[in-house]
Amino acid sequence: MEDGNEEVILPGTDIPNETTEDKLYPQIQHIEDRSTDTNLKVDENSVGANSSAVPLSGFNFWDVNSYKRTVKRIDDGAKLCDDLSKLLVERAEIEGLYASKLQGWSKKWKDLITKSTEYGSVKVSWLNITNEADQLAEIHNELQVRVGQVNGGVQQWKSSNYHKALLSWKETKTAEEGFSKAQKPWAKRNDEVLKCKRAYYQACKVRDQSEKLYKEACVEGSTVTEEQVKKLKDKSDKAANDVQTTRDKYQDSLRDIGNYNPKYVEDMRYTFDKCQQSEEERKNFFKQTFLNYSQQLSLSPHFNRMSSIYTGLSKAFEAADASADISWWSVNLGFEMPTRWPEFEEYTGQEEQTVTILKQQPQQTAANQTNTSQETQGSPSTKKSSVCATL
């Protein structure tokens, strides 16, 4: 690159066989392809919009109606604001959808884990996975709000810089009127130049034909009469005079338009500079919006929170104690439960009621033990002592 600045190439980026300017700035024909103005017809053979070179042929800003591309750029700017707003809305929706998916996933599995056959400290680890999803969803909900605020800024800027007219933007209409007013006197002179040029060329064509006929008539052996030769000579002389007359008018028209050119340039530049200033403001605003977007989506402000989330999650997983869990099972539901052997009991008439109670008691005990394992996270020794005291 020029001016000693090196082009930065991102890792993994393909480098096509084209210059950086070709990638950043469209060719004239590409701008034309996006135009909906079918009345604006321009030769596609032209230089890049960013080039400081003089266009080779075809499009030239100073030609009649060629300013319409600059006018259309105003409409393009408004459309780009809409596109940027749509982009931000979609990104905010993605953040919100991701947060919603995390929350839905967390609720689903929290309910399943709560009702599952898992127990003890490992069950707590399961539940901490769902808690992590809830905390991460909260961060992405905040990101959704932040991106929405960036979009609000875009919409506000557009409403402040583009004002609706009947069929277009007021800014577009103002630019169109400014260019048209500046170009109209010059265009009138240009029409006169073209008119004189056509007349001069036609006179030259008639002169050449007349001279050819006269010379052929003067050739020895020609069957043309002297009277006809005289008429051809008069016609040739008249054609030569017409050439000189049209040539003088052609040159006069060129001098006239040449004298007006500085005024034309001054008036066109005034309107063009205003359009350039507006476009520069739009591009600078977009640049600031992009920077704000990157700041709002940056996870740097959330590093502490996210670090805390996953540090806590790791600690919860480390706290899972398989030995304590199986010890709890042994004490409350297994081998270490107090023994209760059948003994001889004398008939008292209450046997049927006693048998019914004994059948119901194991079911109630299992239900109480399940509720106790869900509500408390105490050590197996604590639960053992409480169960023993109950028994």
Side-chain angles (χ1 to χ4, degrees):
M1 295 182 65
E2 297 180 357
D3 301 330
N5 295 326
E6 295 183 357
E7 181 182 0
V8 178
I9 304 298
L10 296 178
T13 302
D14 294 333
I15 306 177
N17 294 324
E18 58 180 353
T19 65
T20 303
E21 290 184 347
D22 290 335
K23 292 184 286 185
L24 293 179
Y25 300 100
Q27 295 296 310
I28 293 298
Q29 61 266 31
H30 297 156
I31 297 178
E32 181 66 16
D33 290 341
R34 297 197 297 266
S35 174
T36 57
D37 187 354
T38 56
N39 295 323
L40 181 58
K41 297 180 180 179
V42 181
D43 194 328
E44 292 183 352
N45 297 322
S46 53
V47 299
N50 60 297
S51 177
S52 60
V54 178
L56 299 177
S57 63
F59 175 80
N60 189 292
F61 170 75
W62 303 104
D63 293 341
V64 176
N65 288 334
S66 291
Y67 64 80
K68 289 185 178 293
R69 281 200 179 97
T70 300
V71 174
K72 180 182 174 294
R73 187 176 62 174
I74 300 175
D75 291 333
D76 291 340
K79 176 63 168 56
L80 289 171
C81 285
D82 293 337
D83 290 342
L84 179 56
S85 179
K86 183 178 179 181
L87 177 146
L88 294 171
V89 167
E90 291 180 357
R91 179 54 191 266
E93 289 176 350
I94 291 173
E95 295 293 337
L97 181 61
Y98 182 49
S100 178
K101 289 285 187 181
L102 284 173
Q103 290 170 332
W105 176 84
S106 173
K107 184 178 183 304
K108 169 190 172 182
W109 281 99
K110 190 173 293 183
D111 293 341
L112 291 174
I113 294 168
T114 301
K115 299 174 182 178
S116 72
T117 57
E118 186 61 273
Y119 59 93
S121 59
V122 174
K123 185 171 188 176
V124 174
S125 296
W126 280 68
L127 292 173
N128 271 284
I129 294 177
T130 63
N131 292 338
E132 174 268 341
D134 289 333
Q135 292 173 304
L136 193 59
E138 183 180 346
I139 292 177
H140 284 280
N141 277 327
E142 293 177 9
L143 293 178
Q144 179 186 20
V145 173
R146 290 174 178 270
V147 175
Q149 292 173 346
V150 176
N151 178 46
V154 173
Q155 293 179 339
Q156 182 178 358
W157 187 89
K158 181 189 174 185
S159 64
S160 300
N161 289 271
Y162 295 92
H163 304 87
K164 267 293 184 184
L166 183 60
L167 297 175
S168 63
W169 301 106
K170 290 182 179 179
E171 290 73 17
T172 303
K173 184 177 180 181
T174 299
E176 174 70 33
E177 291 174 349
F179 280 123
S180 179
K181 182 179 179 180
Q183 193 174 78
K184 187 175 181 179
W186 186 89
K188 184 177 180 180
R189 288 171 170 80
N190 187 62
D191 289 342
E192 182 65 22
V193 169
L194 295 176
K195 178 182 176 182
C196 293
K197 180 181 179 180
R198 287 193 297 269
Y200 170 61
Y201 282 12
Q202 180 62 27
C204 290
K205 183 178 180 180
V206 171
R207 179 201 60 190
D208 293 342
Q209 292 176 344
S210 299
E211 287 181 351
K212 180 180 179 181
L213 291 175
Y214 174 69
K215 290 179 180 180
E216 290 176 351
C218 294
V219 174
E220 184 178 356
S222 173
T223 59
V224 180
T225 64
E226 292 184 2
E227 183 179 355
Q228 291 175 328
V229 170
K230 185 176 181 302
K231 289 182 179 180
L232 290 174
K233 179 67 168 65
D234 292 341
K235 186 176 181 180
S236 177
D237 292 342
K238 182 180 181 302
N241 291 333
D242 290 343
V243 167
Q244 187 60 43
T245 301
T246 55
R247 180 185 180 88
D248 292 341
K249 289 184 178 180
Y250 182 25
Q251 291 177 334
D252 289 342
S253 67
L254 287 173
R255 280 191 292 269
D256 181 43
I257 197 173
N259 293 333
Y260 189 78
N261 281 342
K263 171 66 174 172
Y264 174 52
V265 171
E266 179 182 358
D267 293 344
M268 289 290 283
R269 181 174 183 175
Y270 174 76
T271 303
F272 182 76
D273 285 347
K274 292 174 65 176
C275 293
Q276 288 288 84
Q277 181 181 356
S278 298
E279 177 68 2
E280 186 176 10
E281 290 175 358
R282 181 193 70 80
K283 284 186 170 290
N284 283 329
F285 170 74
F286 273 38
K287 176 182 178 180
Q288 293 303 317
T289 300
F290 296 149
L291 292 173
N292 186 23
Y293 172 79
S294 67
Q295 292 172 357
Q296 298 301 335
L297 275 183
S298 173
L299 293 177
S300 298
H302 305 287
F303 278 163
N304 291 336
R305 288 174 61 186
M306 296 185 70
S307 177
S308 177
I309 290 173
Y310 293 104
T311 299
L313 191 62
S314 296
K315 290 181 178 180
F317 292 161
E318 290 290 343
D321 189 340
S323 297
D325 289 352
I326 63 174
S327 177
W328 175 90
W329 184 276
S330 178
V331 170
N332 292 276
L333 299 172
F335 179 80
E336 297 182 54
M337 290 186 70
T339 57
R340 185 170 56 201
W341 310 123
E343 298 178 354
F344 177 82
E345 299 179 18
E346 188 62 53
Y347 175 77
T348 62
Q350 301 296 327
E351 284 76 7
E352 184 176 351
Q353 181 179 358
T354 302
V355 171
T356 301
I357 292 174
L358 290 175
K359 287 181 179 180
Q360 293 177 351
Q361 186 174 357
Q363 298 177 0
Q364 294 175 353
T365 301
N368 292 336
Q369 291 169 345
T370 301
N371 291 335
T372 301
S373 66
Q374 294 177 356
E375 295 174 357
T376 63
Q377 304 299 330
S379 64
S381 60
T382 303
K383 294 180 179 179
K384 176 179 179 180
S385 61
S386 62
V387 171
C388 291
T390 303
L391 293 173

